[in-house]
Amino acid sequence: MKLAIFDLDETLVDGDTASLFCAYLVEQGVAGPELLVQEAELMQAYARGTLDMATYIHVMTAPVRHLSAESLQQQVDDFVCNRVLPRHFPQARERLDAHRRAGDCCIIISATADFIVHRVAAALDVPHALAIDLSRTPDGRLDGGILGTPSFREGKVQRLKDWLQGQSLTISETLFYSDSRNDLPLLEHCDKPHVVNPDPELSRLARTRGWLVLHWMRGPHTPLQMTP
């Protein structure tokens, strides 16, 4: 069995879902516009490869830490349905479908918060997902912290290894689809790296190493529907 690993942001969907969620919170009046200023500064650090993930999670969860688990889920359901699914890359969906038809195991590994990643994975009918696991209070509210190893940079490799140890899978080949230079550790770890819509630096590196480069774009395709 092959293992097809997909990054989420800018790979399966056109955009960064955490950034989109922050914008959504401001639009809904849940957060003030200063959240966008803070988040933009942190995303610049992400692009440079210098982001402190704990700081990012603390900032982006601050507006929703007062919400009950049920209220947060309602917000996330609306966000994914109306802000994320319309931005999916049809070519990504086609690639997922092709892997499923071939009997491959599909998984999303993302450096985005668990409450977003798991809902998007369910909507895209991807059975497995690894994300930044967030710590919660005894009553289920977010507390702004991270549990365990963040699925970010080298952490994606470690989280994948840990996950595979708990699965009864015989993997013959691993494939990874990603847009980000922050995913170099996992791109280098997998048998067949696939670079999606790379920036110039990652494109140059992909050409040097003989990695497949894919160019995906949004188009006039049938919108995806939410699945339970």
Side-chain angles (χ1 to χ4, degrees):
M1 176 186 293
K2 295 180 181 179
L3 179 64
I5 308 162
F6 291 82
D7 178 42
L8 173 58
D9 303 317
E10 307 288 3
T11 300
L12 291 176
V13 298
D14 183 13
D16 184 280
T17 53
S19 297
L20 292 170
F21 186 66
C22 290
Y24 169 82
L25 293 178
V26 174
E27 292 171 12
Q28 298 296 310
V30 178
E34 64 278 1
L35 174 64
L36 299 183
V37 176
Q38 292 177 288
E39 200 271 341
E41 292 175 349
L42 290 167
M43 286 304 293
Q44 289 176 6
Y46 175 82
R48 295 192 300 267
T50 60
L51 176 67
D52 179 74
M53 184 55 69
T55 299
Y56 186 90
I57 290 297
H58 185 81
V59 168
M60 69 90 64
T61 62
V64 295
R65 291 207 289 267
H66 68 286
L67 296 178
S68 66
E70 295 76 13
S71 295
L72 177 60
Q73 190 61 59
Q74 290 173 359
Q75 292 272 11
V76 173
D77 284 349
D78 180 67
F79 164 69
V80 170
C81 180
N82 294 300
R83 300 294 195 277
V84 177
L85 295 187
R87 304 178 70 97
H88 84 286
F89 288 123
Q91 300 94 333
R93 182 69 183 217
E94 292 164 4
R95 188 59 62 102
L96 279 168
D97 289 342
H99 280 296
R100 280 190 280 259
R101 288 194 300 270
D104 302 334
C105 179
C106 296
I107 183 173
I108 295 173
I109 305 183
S110 173
T112 294
D114 56 10
F115 62 88
I116 295 175
V117 177
H118 290 294
R119 191 64 190 94
V120 176
L124 295 178
D125 197 27
V126 178
H128 308 288
L130 299 175
I132 303 287
D133 291 332
L134 306 186
S135 56
R136 290 165 167 81
T137 63
D139 63 357
R141 300 171 196 267
L142 300 176
D143 66 11
I146 294 175
L147 286 176
T149 301
S151 48
F152 181 49
R153 297 195 195 117
E154 295 82 0
K156 282 194 176 184
V157 177
Q158 187 59 53
R159 291 288 302 279
L160 175 62
K161 290 179 178 178
D162 293 344
W163 179 79
L164 284 170
Q165 286 182 349
Q167 305 297 311
S168 55
L169 299 173
T170 301
I171 303 299
S172 60
E173 188 174 55
T174 54
L175 304 88
F176 181 39
Y177 299 83
S178 176
D179 73 292
S180 177
R181 72 183 72 173
N182 283 290
D183 282 338
L184 277 176
L186 189 50
L187 286 165
E188 293 171 339
H189 175 77
C190 289
D191 299 314
K192 288 189 177 179
H194 294 65
V195 176
V196 179
N197 298 346
D199 62 26
E201 181 178 337
L202 186 56
S203 180
R204 177 192 58 77
L205 182 60
R207 289 195 304 271
T208 300
R209 300 191 180 186
W211 295 347
L212 183 64
V213 177
L214 303 171
H215 298 284
W216 292 348
M217 64 185 69
R218 291 159 66 183
H221 293 252
T222 303
L224 294 177
Q225 301 296 318
M226 287 283 278
T227 57

